[in-house]
Amino acid sequence: MSLFSKFKNNLKKTSNFLSSNILNSFQSKKVDTKTLEELESVLISADISLDVVEKLINSVRKIKTSELDITTTILETLAKEIENILQPREGKIFEVNDQTSKILIFIGVNGSGKTTTIGKIASQIRNEKKILIAACDTFRAAAIDQLKNWANKSNNDFFSGNTNQDPASVAFQATEKFNKENYNYLIIDTAGRLSNNTNLVNQLVKIKNVVSKIDPKTKVETILVLDGTNGSNMIKQVEIFGKELNVSSIIITKLDGTAKGGALISIANKYEIPISYIGLGEKPEDLAEFSARSFARSILDLEA
Ligand SMILES: Nc1nc2c(ncn2[C@@H]2O[C@H](COP(=O)(O)OP(=O)(O)OP(=O)(O)O)[C@@H](O)[C@H]2O)c(=O)[nH]1
Ligand SMILES: [Mg+2]
């Protein structure tokens, strides 16, 4: 299946919502105050932030009512505008020809999809890179097992400490193994829940400091995983984690399960942080490199 078909098939909840409501709003085939107001409320209901909605409405306002196929023109205009917002955020974590070794620390609130996303990435790139996956979510034995299963299934090496061992000390040992045995990538899974957010963020900062100190040559990246079904609430999470940790890349998961996919556009508009992947299901292949054009056209139910 092509990347575009994957986007198109798995973003149906958002695209059904947007395209059917937009077509409904413009039954009169006119661009006027009433139809623009309706469009505005459709876009807001799709969790697109007000500043973005304003931009989109302004671009549609310029369309001449005399145009023949006005609804297609409206959808095409919206898609172009959305693509322009998203384009600067396209950014890969992984390039086949890039020889840089990396330590990737996955962070995010509990249930956002960190462990699953690590499993998917490790499955997809296992033939390209020598990967060590480390379980630094040491609070629950089940969390370690879940990650170990993904490592086994994808044929990647796995490192874990003991239950309740300090996560930063597991990260320390994993980094030593990573250096000694010449891995390309060390992928670190972390816990999503602690007694409170401050403790959680402090814990992550500690992990980051520990792995950055051991090996200054290696690039350390912090990957923030957000649950797409949270819609605009994702913004709060970018704030919480972004304050203390320099977020290198964002991954938005579960976009197959929500009509609130428009929130991705709000995030892209608000933060200059690259979006590397989007989650489109639970299977290893259901993780797609983010593409601005494919996303913009898919959510408006347009063709590639
Ligand atoms: N439909 C769908 N489900 C997903 C996606 N990504 C993750 N999930 C599911 O979301 C649930 C939580 O995912 P996890 O990977 O365990 O989340 P986590 O961030 O590691 O959670 P904690 O370890 O509790 O912090 C699992 O049931 C996953 O299968 C996605 O893109 N689409
Ligand atoms: Mg987990």
Side-chain angles (χ1 to χ4, degrees):
M1 192 192 283
S2 73
L3 181 69
F4 185 77
S5 318
K6 183 110 213 158
F7 272 68
K8 186 117 179 179
N9 287 339
N10 298 33
L11 290 168
K12 277 255 178 292
K13 289 204 171 143
T14 297
S15 70
N16 284 343
F17 177 83
L18 275 175
S19 61
S20 63
N21 282 301
I22 292 171
L23 294 180
N24 252 336
S25 304
F26 287 95
Q27 270 169 0
S28 67
K29 311 269 178 210
K30 279 187 199 140
V31 177
D32 56 21
T33 316
K34 180 169 171 286
T35 52
L36 286 174
E37 266 171 19
E38 274 182 39
L39 176 62
E40 188 174 13
S41 79
V42 172
L43 297 172
I44 291 170
S45 307
D47 270 40
I48 302 177
S49 58
L50 285 176
D51 43 353
V52 176
V53 169
E54 202 176 318
K55 257 188 225 177
L56 297 177
I57 295 288
N58 283 336
S59 66
V60 173
R61 199 191 303 280
K62 292 182 194 131
I63 297 171
K64 303 258 183 310
T65 303
S66 56
E67 289 196 31
L68 273 182
D69 190 353
I70 191 151
T71 42
T72 305
T73 310
I74 289 165
L75 292 173
E76 288 288 344
T77 304
L78 291 170
K80 191 76 225 150
E81 200 70 28
I82 291 171
E83 187 184 338
N84 287 343
I85 295 171
L86 300 181
Q87 190 69 57
R89 302 294 170 255
E90 278 185 358
K92 294 183 177 161
I93 299 176
F94 156 75
E95 308 253 14
V96 180
N97 297 322
D98 182 6
Q99 301 300 317
T100 324
S101 59
K102 283 187 185 182
I103 299 178
L104 306 168
I105 307 170
F106 278 67
I107 65 172
V109 297
N110 69 296
S112 61
K114 297 176 293 299
T115 306
T116 309
T117 302
I118 290 172
K120 290 174 181 173
I121 293 179
S123 307
Q124 291 186 5
I125 68 175
R126 65 163 305 276
N127 293 328
E128 262 72 48
K129 303 281 172 192
K130 185 178 175 193
I131 303 167
L132 179 62
I133 300 175
C136 293
D137 178 353
T138 56
F139 301 97
R140 295 179 300 126
I144 300 176
D145 289 342
Q146 186 194 0
L147 191 68
K148 191 175 183 180
N149 273 337
W150 274 107
N152 289 341
K153 257 196 311 197
S154 62
N155 257 315
N156 283 295
D157 291 348
F158 178 73
F159 184 85
S160 66
N162 309 312
T163 318
N164 291 327
Q165 187 181 336
D166 175 33
S169 105
V170 180
F172 176 85
Q173 293 172 342
T175 309
E176 285 189 322
K177 181 176 167 70
F178 164 81
N179 280 339
K180 223 181 283 158
E181 298 177 27
N182 291 315
Y183 286 92
N184 302 119
Y185 282 6
L186 169 61
I187 305 183
I188 295 178
D189 191 19
T190 65
R193 197 207 302 266
L194 273 192
S195 50
N196 60 52
N197 282 336
T198 315
N199 285 346
L200 175 60
V201 171
N202 288 344
Q203 177 71 258
L204 296 169
V205 170
K206 196 168 151 195
I207 292 176
K208 191 171 184 182
N209 289 342
V210 162
V211 303
S212 306
K213 262 192 215 116
I214 305 177
D215 182 7
K217 303 182 303 299
T218 303
K219 203 162 172 216
V220 178
E221 297 190 353
T222 314
I223 318 296
L224 177 60
V225 180
L226 300 171
D227 177 341
T229 63
N230 288 338
S232 47
N233 286 333
M234 288 189 288
I235 291 187
K236 217 180 306 159
Q237 289 165 31
V238 182
E239 297 290 336
I240 292 171
F241 289 98
K243 220 188 245 168
E244 303 290 334
L245 293 142
N246 188 7
V247 175
S248 327
S249 180
I250 287 176
I251 295 176
I252 301 184
T253 63
K254 308 187 198 177
L255 288 172
D256 53 309
T258 180
K260 296 179 179 176
L264 182 148
I265 310 165
S266 318
I267 303 255
N269 188 58
K270 194 169 162 77
Y271 303 98
E272 285 182 21
I273 305 174
I275 300 173
S276 47
Y277 288 97
I278 59 172
L280 295 169
E282 295 187 90
K283 297 189 295 298
E285 63 273 24
D286 293 334
L287 184 80
E289 279 186 350
F290 178 63
S291 152
R293 183 175 167 85
S294 300
F295 186 86
R297 299 191 67 78
S298 293
I299 60 165
L300 292 163
D301 205 21
L302 293 166
E303 292 311 315

